[in-house]
C-alpha cells in the first residue's frame, strides 16, 4: 500500500499493511465494523477477520491454523458487515466448511438502474468505518478510505485513515458518511442477521454526528467525505461531477487512474480554455492498456506516465522473504488539484471514467493542504522516488502510440457481465432434509440472457456441478456442504470465469454452525487447544504451547491431569482481568454436541468459573 500523505507516496518506502489498518489499537477490541469493496476474495476476508478479531497480520501463519481461524470468524461474525458488488466474489484457493461462518458477514449489492447509463452502475466503494472499544467502555472510531479491493491483487493502491472520538459538540462533517451508511442499511436482507446488522449500523449513524476525526499530518488542515451515486437525507443524489474537482479551474492537476474515459480526461484538458489561467500544468498516470481509450485532443495538455514493464512483470515482496513474482500495475485513484495557494488531494475509489463519475456508487476523501506543503513538484518527485531520472523511478513518460488494445480483457468482461446478469435475476434456493445425514437443495434462477455461453453452477462446498437452468437440483449434500455461497462458471470454450454468488437459501438447518465447529474441535486435544488459545495473553505463544501440549508423550489421562491445573491458573487470571473472554468458552460449550469431546473435569471447573463471572449465555 502507498500511504497517502505529504512526502509519503514513495512506492519504495511508504507501505501500509491492510491488516495493520484494521487491527484494534493497543488496549482496544473490535466493537463493530462496516466495510465495502467492489470485488472480494473470501480468503482475504478471513485475513481481515484475523486482523480485527485477533490483531494478527493478514498473511500470518495463523491462517493455516483451524483453531485460530474458527475463533477469528466466531469473534468477528456478529461484529462485521461487509458489502460487495453482486457477482464479484472470487473463488477461494482452498475451500473449507469454515466459510459457512462468513455468510453472516457478507452482503452483496445490486445497484438500481439510472437514467443516462446503458449498463447497471457498479457498487465500487472501498471503505471501512470501525468502532473499537476499551474494557472501560471508551470508544475509538476509525474511518478508512482506499482504492484497494479486499483481494490479494498486487496492484499499487492508496489508502488513508483517520481516528476519531466522541465529543459533546456536534459536527456536520460526517453527514455524507451517515448517508452512505443509510444506503448500505437498505441493502441488508430482512432476516434476523440482517436486522441485527442494521441495528448496529443505525447506532453508528446516531453516534457519528458527535465523532470528530482528525488528519494525522499537520500539513492537512481540513478534509471532506464525498460519496457518489447515493442519495442524501433530502433525497438528492451525491454527484461527484458537481464538486470543485469537476467544475473549477486550476493551476496544476495530477491524475492517477488505472481506467479512463476520453470524455472525462478531455474535460480536465479543456477546463481552462475560457479562463485567465493559461500556464496550467497537467500530469496523467494510467495503465498502458487504457491509452487506447484516449485520442490526441483529449490529452493535448497532459504529460502521460505509465508503469515500467519491469515493474509490471513482477517484483520481490517488501519483506525478508521472497514470493512468486506477480503481475502488477497502477490501481490507485488520486487527484491533486492546486489553485493559487490551495491544494486539494482526492483519494478513494473513483476512476476517471464516465461510468464511475456519472453513475457508480463510489466513496472519496478530499484532504486540503497549502501549496507550500503539497504541489505537483513535491507529489511527482515522491512518485518518481526522487525525480524523473531516478534509477528507482517506477514510471516512464509515454505517448498514445504506446496504446495496447486489451481484447482478452474485453472478452473476460463479457463473461463477467453474464454472471452479473444471473445475479440480477434474483435467484433463490430451498434446502430439504432427505434422510438423517443428507440434504437436497433446489436453486431457482430467473430469466437472464447468457449470450450462448456455457454456464454451470454448484454449491461452494461441494463438487456436484449442474448446467444452469431455471431450476437446478443438488442431492446427497452433507450438512457442512450446505451454504448460501454458490459457484457460477461461465465459459466461451477458450476462457472461463468463476464467481461466487450469495443465493438466499431457505430451510438451512440451525445446527450447521455446530457441524462446522465439530470439524475443527473433534477430540479432547483440539478442545484443549481451543481453550488455551482463548485464554492466552500472547495469542501466538498460546497456540505454540497448546500444540506442544497436544504432542506430549503419555496417555490422554496424563495430559489431562497436567492441563487442568494449568487451565485453572489461566482461567483464574482471565476471570480477574478479562471475564468477557468466557463468552468464547460458553460458545464452545454450547456448540459442541458430540459426546466425549469436553472432558468431565473441565465441565466441573467451568461451571465454577461461570458462576464467579456471572455469565448468562
Amino acid at each position: 500500500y502507498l500511504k497517502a500523505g505529504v512526502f509519503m507516496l514513495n512506492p519504495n518506502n511508504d507501505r501500509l499493511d491492510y491488516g495493520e489498518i484494521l487491527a484494534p489499537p493497543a488496549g482496544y477490541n473490535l466493537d463493530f465494523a462496516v466495510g465495502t469493496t467492489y470485488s472480494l476474495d473470501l480468503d482475504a476476508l478471513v485475513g481481515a477477520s484475523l486482523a480485527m478479531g485477533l490483531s494478527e497480520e493478514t498473511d500470518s501463519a495463523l491462517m493455516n491454523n483451524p483453531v485460530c481461524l474458527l475463533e477469528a470468524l466466531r469473534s468477528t461474525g456478529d461484529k462485521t458487515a461487509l458489502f460487495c458488488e453482486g457477482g464479484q466474489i472470487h473463488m477461494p484457493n482452498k475451500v473449507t466448511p469454515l466459510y459457512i461462518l462468513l455468510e453472516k458477514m457478507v452482503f452483496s449489492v445490486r445497484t438500481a438502474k439510472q437514467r443516462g447509463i446503458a449498463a447497471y452502475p457498479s457498487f465500487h466503494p472501498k471503505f471501512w468505518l470501525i468502532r473499537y472499544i476499551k474494557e472501560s467502555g471508551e470508544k475509538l472510531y476509525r474511518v478508512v478510505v482506499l482504492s484497494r479491493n479486499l483481494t490479494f491483487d498486487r496492484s499499487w493502491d492508496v489508502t488513508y485513515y483517520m481516528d476519531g472520538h466522541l465529543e459533546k459538540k456536534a459536527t456536520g462533517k460526517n453527514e455524507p458518511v451517515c448517508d452512505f451508511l443509510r444506503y448500505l442499511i437498505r441493502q441488508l436482507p430482512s432476516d434476523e442477521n440482517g436486522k441485527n446488522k442494521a441495528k448496529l449500523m443505525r447506532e453508528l449513524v446516531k453516534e457519528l454526528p458527535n465523532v470528530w476525526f482528525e488528519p494525522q499530518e499537520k500539513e492537512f488542515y481540513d478534509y471532506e467525505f464525498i460519496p457518489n451515486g447515493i442519495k442524501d437525507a433530502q433525497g438528492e443524489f451525491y454527484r461527484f461531477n458537481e464538486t470543485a474537482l469537476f467544475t473549477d479551474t486550476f493551476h496544476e492537476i495530477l491524475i492517477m487512474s488505472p481506467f479512463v474515459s476520453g470524455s472525462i480526461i478531455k474535460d480536465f484538458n479543456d477546463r481552462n480554455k475560457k479562463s485567465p489561467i493559461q500556464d496550467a500544468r497537467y500530469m496523467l498516470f494510467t495503465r498502458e492498456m487504457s491509452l487506447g481509450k484516449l485520442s490526441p485532443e483529449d490529452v493535448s495538455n497532459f504529460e502521460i506516465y505509465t508503469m515500467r514493464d519491469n515493474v509490471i512483470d513482477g517484483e520481490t515482496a517488501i519483506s525478508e522473504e521472497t514470493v512468486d513474482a506477480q503481475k502488477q500495475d497502477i490501481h490507485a485513484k488520486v487527484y491533486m488539484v492546486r489553485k493559487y495557494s490551495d491544494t486539494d488531494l482526492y483519494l478513494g475509489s473513483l476512476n476517471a471514467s464516465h461510468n464511475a463519475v456519472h453513475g457508480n456508487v463510489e466513496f472519496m476523501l478530499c484532504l486540503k493542504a497549502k501549496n507550500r506543503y503539497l504541489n505537483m513538484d513535491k507529489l511527482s518527485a515522491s512518485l518518481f522516488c526522487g525525480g524523473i531520472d531516478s534509477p528507482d523511478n517506477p514510471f516512464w513518460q509515454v505517448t498514445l502510440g504506446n496504446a495496447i488494445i486489451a481484447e482478452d480483457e474485453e472478452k473476460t468482461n463479457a463473461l463477467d457481465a453474464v454472471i452479473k446478469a444471473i445475479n440480477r435475476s434474483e435467484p433463490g434456493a430451498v434446502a430439504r432434509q432427505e434422510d438423517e445425514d443428507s440434504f437436497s437443495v433446489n436453486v431457482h434462477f430467473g430469466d437472464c440472457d447468457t449470450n450462448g455461453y456455457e454456464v454451470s453452477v454448484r454449491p461452494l462446498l461441494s463438487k456436484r456441478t449442474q448446467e444452469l437452468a431455471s431450476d437446478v437440483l443438488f442431492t446427497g449434500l452433507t450438512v457442512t456442504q450446505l451454504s448460501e455461497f454458490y459457484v457460477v462458471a461461465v465459459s466461451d470454450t477458450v476462457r472461463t470465469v468463476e464467481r461466487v454468488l450469495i443465493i438466499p437459501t431457505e430451510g438451512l438447518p440451525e445446527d450447521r454452525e455446530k457441524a462446522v465447529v465439530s470439524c475443527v474441535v473433534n477430540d479432547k486435544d483440539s478442545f484443549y487447544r481451543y481453550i488455551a488459545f482463548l485464554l492466552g495473553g500472547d495469542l501466538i505463544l498460546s497456540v505454540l504451547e497448546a500444540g506442544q501440549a497436544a504432542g506430549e508423550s503419555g496417555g490422554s489421562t496424563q495430559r489431562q491431569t497436567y492441563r487442568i491445573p494449568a487451565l485453572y491458573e489461566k482461567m483464574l487470571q482471565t476471570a480477574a482481568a478479562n471475564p468477557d473472554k468466557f463468552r468464547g468458552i460458553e460458545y464452545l460449550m454450547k456448540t459442541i454436541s458430540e459426546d466425549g469431546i469436553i472432558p468431565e473435569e473441565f465441565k466441573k471447573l467451568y461451571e465454577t468459573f461461570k458462576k464467579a463471572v456471572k455469565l448468562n449465555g
Side-chain angles (χ1 to χ4, degrees), residues 26 116 118 167 173 178 350 432 449 463 480 487 506:
E167 306 287 350
K173 298 187 75 65
C178 293
L350 189 89
R432 292 185 174 87
D449 186 4
K463 294 184 179 180
T480 55
V487 180
E506 298 178 9

Side-chain angles (χ1 to χ4, degrees), residues 273-502:
K273 273 189 174 180
K274 298 180 181 179
S275 164
I277 302 173
Q278 296 301 317
D279 57 348
R281 299 170 63 195
Y282 305 75
M283 295 181 76
L284 172 64
F285 293 76
T286 189
R287 293 185 176 186
E288 196 169 317
M289 54 159 281
S290 296
L291 299 178
K293 302 289 181 69
L294 303 172
S295 61
E297 57 268 23
D298 298 334
V299 292
S300 59
N301 292 321
F302 277 93
E303 295 175 13
I304 307 173
Y305 296 87
T306 61
M307 194 168 275
R308 293 181 184 272
D309 289 342
N310 63 330
V311 181
I312 291 175
D313 290 338
E315 67 169 4
T316 300
I318 310 300
S319 69
E320 295 178 357
E321 300 177 359
T322 59
V323 296
D324 292 337
Q326 299 181 43
K327 293 281 187 178
Q328 57 191 358
D329 209 331
I330 296 169
H331 193 254
K333 292 85 173 169
V334 179
Y335 304 80
M336 190 221 72
V337 182
R338 182 186 68 81
K339 186 171 185 179
Y340 298 112
S341 63
D342 292 309
T343 303
D344 290 341
L345 184 66
Y346 296 86
L347 310 167
S349 66
L350 189 89
N351 283 297
S353 67
H354 182 273
N355 285 352
V357 174
H358 295 286
N360 287 357
V361 177
E362 310 274 1
F363 200 96
M364 297 288 284
L365 172 68
C366 176
L367 295 164
K368 297 181 178 295
K370 289 297 182 180
N371 173 49
R372 64 182 178 274
Y373 294 125
L374 182 61
N375 55 50
M376 182 175 286
D377 288 334
K378 291 180 182 293
L379 184 55
S380 61
S382 183
L383 290 169
F384 293 151
C385 300
I388 194 167
D389 297 324
S390 168
D392 296 325
N393 183 5
F395 301 99
W396 58 7
Q397 191 169 357
V398 299
T399 66
L400 295 189
N402 295 72
I404 296 174
I405 306 301
E407 295 181 1
D408 284 346
E409 182 160 344
E410 290 182 7
K411 291 177 181 178
T412 301
N413 288 342
L415 302 181
D416 244 332
V418 172
I419 294 178
K420 289 187 178 183
I422 294 170
N423 182 63
R424 289 188 178 280
S425 74
E426 299 188 10
V430 177
R432 292 185 174 87
Q433 188 159 5
E434 295 178 325
D435 54 45
E436 185 177 352
D437 298 317
S438 66
F439 297 80
S440 65
V441 177
N442 186 69
V443 187
H444 176 75
F445 293 92
D447 294 332
C448 63
D449 186 4
T450 59
N451 293 326
Y453 295 122
E454 298 176 3
V455 184
S456 64
V457 61
R458 66 176 175 85
L460 175 64
L461 299 170
S462 169
K463 294 184 179 180
R464 298 174 185 269
T465 303
Q466 304 275 16
E467 289 186 9
L468 182 72
S470 58
D471 285 282
V472 180
L473 181 65
F474 299 97
T475 60
L477 300 175
T478 65
V479 67
T480 55
Q481 291 176 323
L482 297 176
S483 170
E484 293 195 322
F485 292 133
Y486 296 80
V487 180
V488 174
V490 181
S491 175
D492 62 2
T493 70
V494 176
R495 58 190 61 78
T496 300
V497 171
E498 283 188 318
R499 295 288 184 265
V500 177
L501 298 188
I502 300 174

